[in-house]
Amino acid sequence: MLELHQFRHSAFCLKVRMALRAKGLSFQEVEVTPGIGQLAVFRLSGQRQVPVLVDGETVVADSTAICRYLDELQPEPPLIPKDPRAVAQIQLIEDWADTTLAASVRSALLQAAVDDSDLRSALLPDDVPGPIRQVMTGVPTGWLNGLNELFGQEERSAMLNNLIAMADALTSESVLVGNALSLADLAVAAQISLLRFPASSGSLLAGRGVPGISDHPRLQSLFNWRDQLDDRLFQPDPSPV
Ligand SMILES: N[C@@H](CCC(=O)N[C@@H](CS)C(=O)NCC(=O)O)C(=O)O
């Protein structure tokens, strides 16, 4: 059985869960406790970040490397097709989603969590003991605001501009590149899941997110597209993609 070592609410881990589901592979989720649990991740993989996939003797770290590994393990349906133009487009979009978009999404979510103690509490792992949860979610907003301008105007408008372009493209198309689901779709859908959490994030988080972005009128087609993908992949018996 494949094992996925993960933080449940990490976008990179969601990207890999989506890839596993798209391919119909069964897997076991191993939840890593931030900090202390990463020692075991380091012993396992030689680095401390999640996701890490374990397939018997084979250990693969990094969401991109894992998705490529899965494409070889189970070629159908392919996440990266053979056509070189599609490959170039997919690689560029995936790289942008994993770097620039991921950094902006993280700042946006952190800023939203600073402003909203309910969101902070929903994001903490389920096994965080009650008293610690209370301390972390009770931190006065003013104190955290020392870090102000986490998510600056320029970064926000660059991200919005790119996401609106994708939203517009996805009103008439169901995928970002070519005519089948690819790694580009999974990488983007996973990152925007931190801007508005999908149903698969659980009832505490589903539908919540970053005010001003999760409810932005020009982005609704993008979140609807992501919701359809999330339903298709994570409903108990997903239909073939
Ligand atoms: N490039 C990596 C990024 C993975 C990553 O940033 N993982 C974060 C969770 S979202 C992590 O493990 N952070 C803990 C740390 O850096 O100590 C990938 O695509 O998998």
Side-chain angles (χ1 to χ4, degrees), residues 103-116:
S104 300
V105 158
R106 215 171 17 238
S107 313
L109 183 63
L110 216 60
Q111 183 71 67
V114 164
D115 299 336
D116 176 351

Side-chain angles (χ1 to χ4, degrees), residues 7 9-13 15-16 34-35 38 41 47-52 61-66 94 98 106 191 194:
F7 297 158
H9 298 305
S10 145
F12 296 101
C13 298
K15 177 181 155 198
V16 172
Q38 290 174 257
V41 171
Q47 56 84 58
R48 66 194 180 116
Q49 291 195 319
V50 290
V52 170
D62 185 88
S63 64
T64 304
I66 296 172
E94 192 213 10
D98 285 0
R106 215 171 17 238
Q191 293 298 335
L194 300 188

Side-chain angles (χ1 to χ4, degrees), residues 30-234:
V30 180
E31 199 57 32
V32 173
T33 308
I36 188 84
Q38 290 174 257
L39 287 174
V41 171
F42 186 82
R43 275 197 297 273
L44 184 66
S45 66
Q47 56 84 58
R48 66 194 180 116
Q49 291 195 319
V50 290
V52 170
L53 184 84
V54 180
D55 180 13
E57 297 291 290
T58 308
V59 178
V60 189
D62 185 88
S63 64
T64 304
I66 296 172
C67 289
R68 287 175 186 277
Y69 176 81
L70 294 176
D71 237 5
E72 287 190 8
L73 185 71
Q74 170 65 267
E76 290 301 323
L79 294 177
I80 305 175
K82 295 277 176 279
D83 170 51
R85 206 159 70 108
V87 171
Q89 292 170 350
I90 290 166
Q91 277 185 202
L92 286 171
I93 294 175
E94 192 213 10
D95 187 43
W96 166 78
D98 285 0
T99 54
T100 308
L101 179 61
S104 300
V105 158
R106 215 171 17 238
S107 313
L109 183 63
L110 216 60
Q111 183 71 67
V114 164
D115 299 336
D116 176 351
S117 66
D118 284 349
L119 182 62
R120 280 205 296 281
S121 140
L123 279 166
L124 290 175
D126 295 341
D127 60 356
V128 169
I132 296 182
R133 182 177 288 267
Q134 238 165 21
V135 171
M136 291 184 69
T137 57
V139 176
T141 307
W143 182 78
L144 280 167
N145 269 350
L147 312 159
N148 225 344
E149 271 298 280
L150 281 167
F151 189 43
Q153 271 314 316
E154 262 180 47
E155 190 178 9
R156 184 179 191 275
S157 66
M159 182 179 84
L160 263 179
N161 205 22
N162 289 329
L163 293 180
I164 287 171
M166 289 195 174
D168 290 349
L170 288 164
T171 52
S172 55
E173 298 290 336
S174 63
V175 291
L176 287 168
V177 177
N179 48 23
L181 187 76
S182 76
L183 194 50
D185 299 300
L186 302 189
V188 170
Q191 293 298 335
I192 66 167
S193 291
L194 300 188
L195 296 174
R196 186 164 98 194
F197 288 92
S200 68
S201 299
S203 55
L204 274 181
L205 282 169
R208 309 182 66 129
V210 177
I213 295 188
S214 61
D215 50 359
H216 194 292
R218 302 266 327 255
L219 295 179
Q220 295 315 297
S221 55
L222 185 66
F223 290 117
N224 291 340
W225 164 81
R226 187 282 317 271
D227 284 343
Q228 280 169 18
L229 187 57
D230 189 76
D231 286 350
R232 201 156 97 200
L233 295 173
F234 293 107

